[in-house]
Amino acid sequence: MMTKFKRSLAATVAVLGVLSVGLGAAQADDSAKDWSTIRIGSEGAYPPFNFLSPSGELQGFDIDIAKALCDHMKVKCDFVAQDWDGAIPALQNGKFDAFIASMSITEERLKQIDFTNKYYNTPGALAVAKDSTIADLQPASFDGKTVGVQGSTTHAQAVEKFLPDADEKVYPTAEEYQLDMANGRLDGVSDDIVVLSKWLESEAGACCKILGSFPADEAIYGKGAGIGLRKGDEKLKKMFNDAIVAIRADGTYKQIQDKYFKFDVYGK
């Protein structure tokens, strides 16, 4: 028994040693890699930040920012459409090298992946029907009311915290909760204020109005939207961070921002 235990222990130590070397090599590979081609994942279902054109091409603010960053870094970027719920595992497993899809930098996500500095930061808000009797964002006003949100988002967490008595209904995409809201199946919906504002400007969003915005709770919303990266890809992280600073300094960021918004989305 002792012999088997010792052999098992030795084998375990050997495996751990190999894994340790492998992890070290992976980090060293990032330092040596030229990153001449970068695969970028994005959701494609969160307008105006990211969406799919009729031909299936990824477009939107996130995508234009990504292309500007790639141009500054002088690298070739290939884009991959990725469902939101599977984004972090897909990034970890190497389906793409960076995820640029309005993902907030939160402590919980930082346990799994790394992030660049923010590239924008806008508040979360809640919209209701134009004829709604709900007058404010007080918890009592939403007692027994149904609020739609996209799953696995900071906005879902905000509803849980700020409207604990509401019945939260989770959807895979923003487009799906918007459809239910327009058809009168929900009492309210929560999302980024820009996403809601753009939706309300459309024919589909003519049903509704913004009731108000939630407090900027960093424990929920994090430090803004950043570019998701694998742990250990430090060279790539620096490349992106330097490029974010550069496109803000040379006016490229503002040109892209003004294409989609009438106000500064970078935040403080």
Side-chain angles (χ1 to χ4, degrees):
M1 289 295 293
M2 287 297 293
T3 302
K4 288 181 180 179
F5 174 77
K6 289 179 179 178
R7 287 178 179 174
S8 176
L9 179 60
T12 301
V13 171
V15 169
L16 290 174
V18 171
L19 288 174
S20 176
V21 170
L23 288 171
Q27 292 184 356
D29 285 346
D30 175 66
S31 299
K33 192 168 183 179
D34 63 4
W35 288 113
S36 58
T37 299
I38 300 171
R39 292 165 297 168
I40 295 175
S42 193
E43 183 186 14
Y46 197 59
F49 292 104
N50 58 79
F51 54 91
L52 292 172
S53 70
S55 63
E57 180 185 3
L58 282 165
Q59 296 182 344
F61 176 78
D62 289 330
I63 309 306
D64 286 357
I65 289 292
K67 290 178 177 178
L69 295 174
C70 292
D71 286 346
H72 177 80
M73 295 186 293
K74 295 180 171 55
V75 299
K76 178 179 181 292
C77 285
D78 297 324
F79 289 86
V80 179
Q82 168 64 50
D83 290 343
W84 179 265
D85 285 346
I88 288 179
L91 174 61
Q92 292 171 322
N93 293 331
K95 182 177 179 181
F96 38 80
D97 305 305
F99 188 63
I100 306 181
S102 298
M103 182 171 277
S104 297
I105 307 164
T106 66
E107 291 301 319
E108 189 62 31
R109 289 174 181 149
L110 282 167
K111 295 175 184 177
Q112 304 175 73
I113 60 174
D114 203 357
F115 281 94
T116 64
N117 297 332
K118 71 171 184 179
Y119 63 96
Y120 83 85
N121 191 11
T122 49
L126 190 139
V128 296
K130 286 181 176 177
D131 60 357
S132 175
T133 59
I134 302 172
D136 53 49
L137 284 176
Q138 295 301 311
S141 299
F142 284 85
D143 186 4
K145 304 296 186 183
T146 304
V147 177
V149 293
Q150 184 176 2
S152 302
T153 63
T154 55
H155 307 292
Q157 295 175 40
V159 170
E160 291 173 8
K161 178 172 181 177
F162 297 121
L163 304 176
D165 297 323
D167 179 13
E168 187 175 72
K169 188 172 182 180
V170 176
Y171 293 82
T173 67
E175 293 169 343
E176 289 170 89
Y177 78 61
Q178 290 170 0
L179 181 61
D180 268 6
M181 185 67 198
N183 288 327
R185 301 189 187 104
L186 298 169
D187 297 299
V189 292
S190 180
D191 210 324
D192 185 281
I193 194 168
V194 173
V195 172
L196 292 177
S197 297
K198 286 292 181 180
W199 173 54
L200 298 182
E201 291 174 3
S202 69
E203 184 178 347
C207 61
C208 303
K209 64 182 180 181
I210 290 179
L211 182 63
S213 58
F214 289 116
D217 188 334
E218 193 170 297
I220 294 176
Y221 293 112
K223 299 179 179 180
I227 299 170
L229 303 169
R230 284 185 293 274
K231 296 281 188 181
D233 284 352
E234 293 298 324
K235 180 179 178 181
L236 184 59
K237 180 178 178 178
K238 185 177 187 306
M239 287 169 61
F240 272 120
N241 278 336
D242 289 349
I244 291 169
V245 172
I247 68 169
R248 281 190 54 76
D250 68 13
T252 303
Y253 184 96
K254 188 176 186 305
Q255 289 177 4
I256 296 170
Q257 172 186 269
D258 291 350
K259 176 181 173 182
Y260 294 94
F261 315 116
K262 297 177 182 178
F263 52 90
D264 177 22
V265 296
Y266 186 76
K268 296 181 180 179

